Every structure is written in C-alpha cells, then in structure tokens.
Amino acid sequence: MLRSQMSLAVTALLIQLGMAANYTVGGPNGGWDTSSNLQAWASAQTFIVGDNLIFQFTPNHDVLEVSKADYNTCSTSNPTQTYSSSPAVIPLSSPGKRCFICGMAGHCSQGMKIELDTLASSSPPSASPSSPPTSSPASPVTPPTSSPSSPVTPPTSSPASPVTAPTSPPPLEMTPPPKSTPTISPASLSTTPTSSPAPSSDVPSAEPPTSSPSPSPSSAHKGSFEASLIMGFGLMMTILLAL
C-alpha cells in the first residue's frame, strides 16, 4: 500500500517536472531592465506550479522579492528574497501571487517590477462527457382519412301548379224597375158660387134684392197654380218612365 502511494507521488512529480516551463523575464525581445514593458509581459503569460522564472540582468541591477504593499510603494527595506547575481532562477513551487522589484534606487519607479499569479495546474477541469440526448423514434405520420363525401341530392322542385286565369263575374242583368203609373188625383174643381135666381118681376118683394159676393182673385190664382203643378209632376214622371 505504501509502495503504491510513493510510486504515485513520484509519477506526479515527474509529470509536473516534464510539464514545467522556463520563462525568461522580459524575453524574448527584452529583459530585466528599465526599457522593457515588464507588466505587459507578465500579464501575457500563464504560470503554473513547477515553472521557473529566469532573471538575466547587468551588474547595475538586482532582484528583490517583496510583499504586495512594498511592491505598490517600491519599498526595498524589507525584501523576502534577494538575488544579486545573474542569471537568477526562481522556481514557482506553490500557487499564489508573487511580486518582484529591482532594488537599485529609482529603478522600481521606472518600471522594473512584475507581479504574477501562479496557478496550481494548467490542465482544465475535466468535463464530464455529456451523453447525447436520445431522440425518441418519430411516430409515423398517418395521413388523415377523408370521410367519403355523401352524394349531393339535388333539390326536388315541386310541380308548378297551373295558373288559373281569374274568372270574371257574370254580367249583371239590369232589371228595370217596375213602371208605376202615378195616380193623379183629380183636382177638386173650385165651384163658382151661383147666384140665386132673381125674383120674378111679377111678384113684388117686400125686401130689396141682395147681391152674392164675387170670388176673390187670390183663390182663383191658387187653383190655377195647383193645376199647373200637378200637370208638371205628371209630365216628369212620364219622362222618367220612358228612359
């Protein structure tokens, strides 16, 4: 059991050493000096545990590893490590942030400083293989069954009833009214008063003779009007009966 654990540890160390990379600070076109853009170089790299930093510099430079606070203020009074000979090889043995500056006066403020982040492993997390979604077999599409169309029966037209011509009513027979013969009542003739005979001249009368009264002209005119009215009415009735 112990032997197997030791063999696994040795194998992991060999793999890690085989995957380790050496980074020349500021390279390949620059170096550890004031003319190189060291911050841009550091941000463009990916560092993992097992990699090595290589500082190459001239005798007027050195390398100090400092804290984050001293890195921000370019303080050289309390470094954690000092490297004064070139080339300086610094292994990245643990994950985390590390800060390096130049200890010469004014060089840190001129850009000779880098901050880097060391990752624990470079291999991306293994993604669990995703099983492709199983597609359910498509159910066969059954075409819609069209119901047989019922025969269309034409509408039965009812026989036209014969048109009966309107019957004119029979002509009315005009029956003339019965002729009635008007009965004309005879007009009462007005009698003229007769005068009593004159007494004989032979017989003398003791009294003087009396004369009878003469008829009035109004009664004679009335009688003639009634006669003409009756005759006119009779003539009119005769004309009506003749039509």
Side-chain angles (χ1 to χ4, degrees), residues 66 72 95-96 121 125 142 148 154 167 178 190 195-196 229:
V66 295
N72 292 335
S121 174
T142 57
T167 57
S190 59
S195 59
S196 59
L229 182 62

Side-chain angles (χ1 to χ4, degrees), residues 48 69 160 171:
I48 62 173

Side-chain angles (χ1 to χ4, degrees), residues 182-184 227-240:
T183 58
I184 302 174
S228 60
L229 182 62
I230 292 171
M231 290 178 65
F233 180 74
L235 180 60
M236 185 181 296
M237 291 301 297
T238 304
I239 294 172
L240 288 176

Side-chain angles (χ1 to χ4, degrees), residues 5-30:
Q5 290 179 353
M6 290 179 64
S7 61
L8 289 175
V10 172
T11 303
L13 180 59
L14 291 176
I15 293 174
Q16 187 174 3
L17 292 176
M19 295 176 61
N22 297 325
Y23 292 95
T24 301
V25 177
N29 299 323

Side-chain angles (χ1 to χ4, degrees), residues 108-143:
C108 175
S109 59
Q110 294 178 16
M112 288 189 67
K113 55 190 292 187
I114 60 172
E115 178 184 7
L116 54 91
D117 188 9
T118 304
L119 303 179
S121 174
S122 63
S123 60
S126 60
S128 58
S130 59
S131 58
T134 58
S135 59
S136 58
S139 58
V141 178
T142 57

Side-chain angles (χ1 to χ4, degrees), residues 1-2 14 57 60 72 76 112-113 128 156 165 177 193 216 219 228 240:
M1 182 68 179
L2 182 60
L14 291 176
F57 50 89
N60 61 335
N72 292 335
T76 61
M112 288 189 67
K113 55 190 292 187
S128 58
T156 58
S216 64
S219 61
S228 60
L240 288 176

Side-chain angles (χ1 to χ4, degrees), residues 94-190:
S94 61
K97 292 182 180 296
R98 300 181 71 172
C99 300
F100 302 91
I101 64 173
C102 180
M104 297 299 174
H107 290 186
C108 175
S109 59
Q110 294 178 16
M112 288 189 67
K113 55 190 292 187
I114 60 172
E115 178 184 7
L116 54 91
D117 188 9
T118 304
L119 303 179
S121 174
S122 63
S123 60
S126 60
S128 58
S130 59
S131 58
T134 58
S135 59
S136 58
S139 58
V141 178
T142 57
T145 58
S146 59
S147 58
S149 59
S150 58
V152 178
T153 57
T156 58
S157 58
S158 59
S161 58
V163 179
T164 58
T167 57
S168 59
L172 299 177
E173 295 181 359
M174 302 295 294
T175 56
K179 295 181 179 181
S180 60
T181 305
T183 58
I184 302 174
S185 60
S188 58
L189 300 177
S190 59

Side-chain angles (χ1 to χ4, degrees), residues 26-90:
N29 299 323
W32 186 244
D33 52 40
T34 57
S35 62
S36 299
N37 192 347
L38 299 174
Q39 286 78 27
W41 174 87
S43 61
Q45 313 299 324
T46 300
F47 305 100
I48 62 173
V49 174
D51 291 345
N52 297 313
L53 288 179
I54 301 175
F55 288 85
Q56 294 180 349
F57 50 89
T58 59
N60 61 335
H61 298 299
D62 61 2
V63 177
L64 301 181
E65 184 171 0
V66 295
S67 65
K68 176 65 175 173
D70 292 343
Y71 173 85
N72 292 335
T73 59
C74 288
S75 175
T76 61
S77 60
N78 190 22
T80 58
Q81 291 288 339
T82 300
Y83 305 92
S84 56
S85 60
S86 179
V89 179
I90 302 173

